[in-house]
Amino acid sequence: MRAIFFFAPSPTQPQMAADYLRFLSASLKINRKYFENTLLYTYESAPIPESMVMDEIIRLPSRHRHFMHYLRVVSWAHYLGSERFDADTVFLDADVVLNRGLDEVFDNDFALAFAAMPSAKSYSCINTGVIFARKAEKRVACAHAEKLAQIAGELRLMKEPRFPQFKSAGVWGVDEMCIYQYLDDKARARHTTLRDIVGTIGFDQFSGFGEGISLFGGKFNSDYRKVDESEWNTPSALHFQGFPKTKLFEYCEKLSMAGG
């Protein structure tokens, strides 16, 4: 199994890049043992510190470096369409910490699987902190990713209502925006909505959406703020969303001390 990370430092906000590297360094100390190898996608001119140990760093053209989240979607399509996609794969955010391996996920029949995470505060009900891609369905996974990249390209100059501090969705938010639009269009063709479907996904559930796509519950991507701290070890993947990230570092240290 392979882990894919994405790092596109903002040319205008260097602190964001420094923070990301701190998050990744902390979580990777816990997560690395669950994967045969780890890859990092970035852009051509991005500075990567020598201390960032990855099995491979893949650099995409820098022309969209100001649109970090659009480039992230492009990186999914690039990887899934490449010869590198020769093993079951997990796309991970830097602030996701694993409590155990994820091998059981790939016993399910799917090409791509997304985390169902409904929110009363946001139209988005998909979270991109954890995405699974099954090698046995490479052709289907690649086809979906190419369509997502196309949609992201169409949306990248739009404003993302969840993140008014950024000039456009391409800078921040278009990754979830394009998945939402893609899946919601498919749901509405079946006379329902993505939000209605996501609302039915239970914590342990891994449910087929159709066309090789699956949705999964909090077991594989739980927002730590919605889980009692005494139960943080229950999900297989705990996601330290939002700021500050103090608890991310504390939890990684706790797992490290426990030999986790």
Side-chain angles (χ1 to χ4, degrees):
M1 191 186 309
R2 177 173 297 125
I4 306 292
F5 298 93
F6 177 79
F7 172 56
S10 168
T12 59
Q13 301 185 56
Q15 187 57 47
M16 288 179 62
D19 288 342
Y20 176 94
L21 293 174
R22 289 175 58 236
F23 307 153
L24 183 56
S25 178
S27 63
L28 203 55
K29 290 177 182 177
I30 304 302
N31 297 342
R32 183 183 286 276
K33 63 179 174 291
Y34 297 114
F35 300 100
E36 294 179 14
N37 50 32
T38 55
L39 277 63
L40 179 70
Y41 265 86
T42 188
Y43 57 80
E44 284 173 338
S45 58
I48 305 294
E50 293 183 5
S51 59
M52 182 50 60
V53 180
M54 287 280 167
D55 292 295
E56 186 179 3
I57 295 175
I58 301 100
R59 293 182 177 273
L60 300 175
S62 297
R63 62 185 293 250
H64 293 301
R65 64 189 181 279
H66 290 277
F67 298 97
M68 295 93 72
H69 273 190
Y70 169 63
L71 196 60
R72 184 185 190 193
V73 181
V74 170
S75 77
W76 299 340
H78 185 278
Y79 171 76
L80 294 174
S82 74
E83 294 181 357
R84 292 182 178 90
F85 183 27
D86 59 2
D88 292 334
T89 295
V90 185
F91 294 90
L92 275 181
D93 274 1
D95 56 358
V96 174
V97 180
L98 302 185
N99 285 312
R100 59 194 63 88
L102 302 170
D103 301 75
E104 65 177 287
V105 165
F106 296 96
D107 292 334
N108 294 282
D109 183 13
F110 68 95
L112 285 180
F114 302 103
M117 196 174 286
S119 170
K121 299 179 181 180
S122 168
Y123 70 86
S124 179
C125 48
I126 294 292
N127 183 272
T128 55
V130 182
I131 299 174
F132 297 110
R134 190 162 158 262
K135 190 264 181 183
E137 296 292 339
K138 176 174 180 173
R139 181 187 60 80
V140 177
C142 181
H144 285 306
E146 288 176 349
K147 291 174 183 175
L148 289 173
Q150 178 183 344
I151 295 170
E154 296 166 356
L155 299 176
R156 70 183 177 90
L157 298 180
M158 292 180 60
K159 289 292 290 185
E160 164 52 283
R162 295 177 300 164
F163 306 110
Q165 67 271 39
F166 296 103
K167 67 177 182 180
S168 73
V171 177
W172 207 265
V174 80
D175 52 347
E176 292 181 3
M177 183 185 276
C178 72
I179 296 172
Y180 174 83
Q181 178 170 307
Y182 187 51
L183 298 187
D184 193 51
D185 285 349
K186 292 181 179 298
R188 290 181 184 277
R190 305 171 200 164
H191 308 291
T192 184
T193 67
L194 179 61
R195 179 169 293 278
D196 287 341
I197 295 172
V198 162
T200 69
I201 306 295
F203 177 83
D204 293 308
Q205 196 167 356
F206 206 97
S207 179
F209 176 84
E211 300 181 43
I213 295 171
S214 285
L215 301 174
F216 55 87
K219 181 176 182 178
F220 302 112
N221 187 357
S222 280
D223 185 336
Y224 83 104
R225 297 167 297 187
K226 298 179 181 179
V227 181
D228 188 274
E229 190 165 350
S230 65
E231 299 181 348
W232 279 2
N233 65 338
T234 302
S236 294
L238 190 64
H239 194 171
F240 289 86
Q241 296 177 250
F243 289 91
K245 301 285 189 186
T246 308
K247 291 295 184 179
L248 165 68
F249 297 109
E250 291 178 359
Y251 192 61
C252 287
E253 180 65 20
K254 177 182 177 180
L255 291 181
S256 180
M257 294 291 289

